[in-house]
C-alpha cells in the first residue's frame, strides 16, 4: 500500500533512518555481516536516489556540488569489506 501524501515523507524518513543505521553498522564493522545480493542492489539504488534528491534540491536552489560520487561503488566497497575475513 503506498504512503498517503500527508505522511509520505514522515513514514519514509523512519525507514530511511533504519537504512542509515544499517549502513553505519556495515561501514563500522559492527555486525560483520555483508548484505545479501538483493539488499546490496537496493542499498546501491537507495544511495543513488538519496544523492539524486540532494542534487535536485541544490540545482533548484541555485547551489552547486563539486563532484558526484559513485554511490553504488562506495556501497559495494563497504559490503565487500564487511565480508572480508
Amino acid at each position: 500500500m503506498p504512503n498517503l501524501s500527508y505522511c509520505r515523507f514522515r513514514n519514509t524518513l523512519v525507514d530511511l533512518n533504519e537504512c542509515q543505521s544499517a549502513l553505519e553498522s556495515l561501514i563500522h564493522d559492527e555486525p560483520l555481516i555483508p548484505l545479501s545480493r538483493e539488499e546490496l542492489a537496493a542499498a546501491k539504488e537507495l544511495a543513488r536516489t538519496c544523492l539524486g534528491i540532494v542534487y535536485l534540491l541544490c540545482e533548484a536552489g541555485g547551489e552547486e556540488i563539486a563532484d558526484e560520487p559513485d554511490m553504488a561503488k562506495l556501497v559495494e566497497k563497504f559490503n565487500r569489506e564487511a565480508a572480508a575475513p
Side-chain angles (χ1 to χ4, degrees), residues 15-16 19-20 22-24 26-27 35 38-56 65 67-79:
D15 293 336
L16 187 57
C19 292
Q20 180 181 359
L23 286 172
E24 286 174 353
L26 183 73
I27 291 166
L35 300 172
E38 293 82 12
E39 281 292 281
L40 178 59
K44 290 176 181 180
E45 186 62 29
L46 178 66
R48 282 192 295 259
T49 299
C50 289
L51 185 61
I53 292 169
V54 169
Y55 273 93
L56 172 71
I65 299 176
D67 296 321
E68 184 172 340
D70 186 343
M71 302 310 294
K73 184 177 178 181
L74 291 172
V75 172
E76 178 76 39
K77 173 188 182 289
F78 296 127
N79 195 59

Side-chain angles (χ1 to χ4, degrees), residues 54-66:
V54 169
Y55 273 93
L56 172 71
L57 293 172
C58 287
E59 182 180 314
E63 298 291 329
E64 290 188 33
I65 299 176

Side-chain angles (χ1 to χ4, degrees), residues 4-19:
L4 300 174
S5 62
Y6 63 85
C7 58
R8 172 184 302 131
F9 291 101
R10 182 178 39 191
N11 290 347
T12 302
L13 178 60
V14 170
D15 293 336
L16 187 57
N17 283 329
E18 289 178 17
C19 292

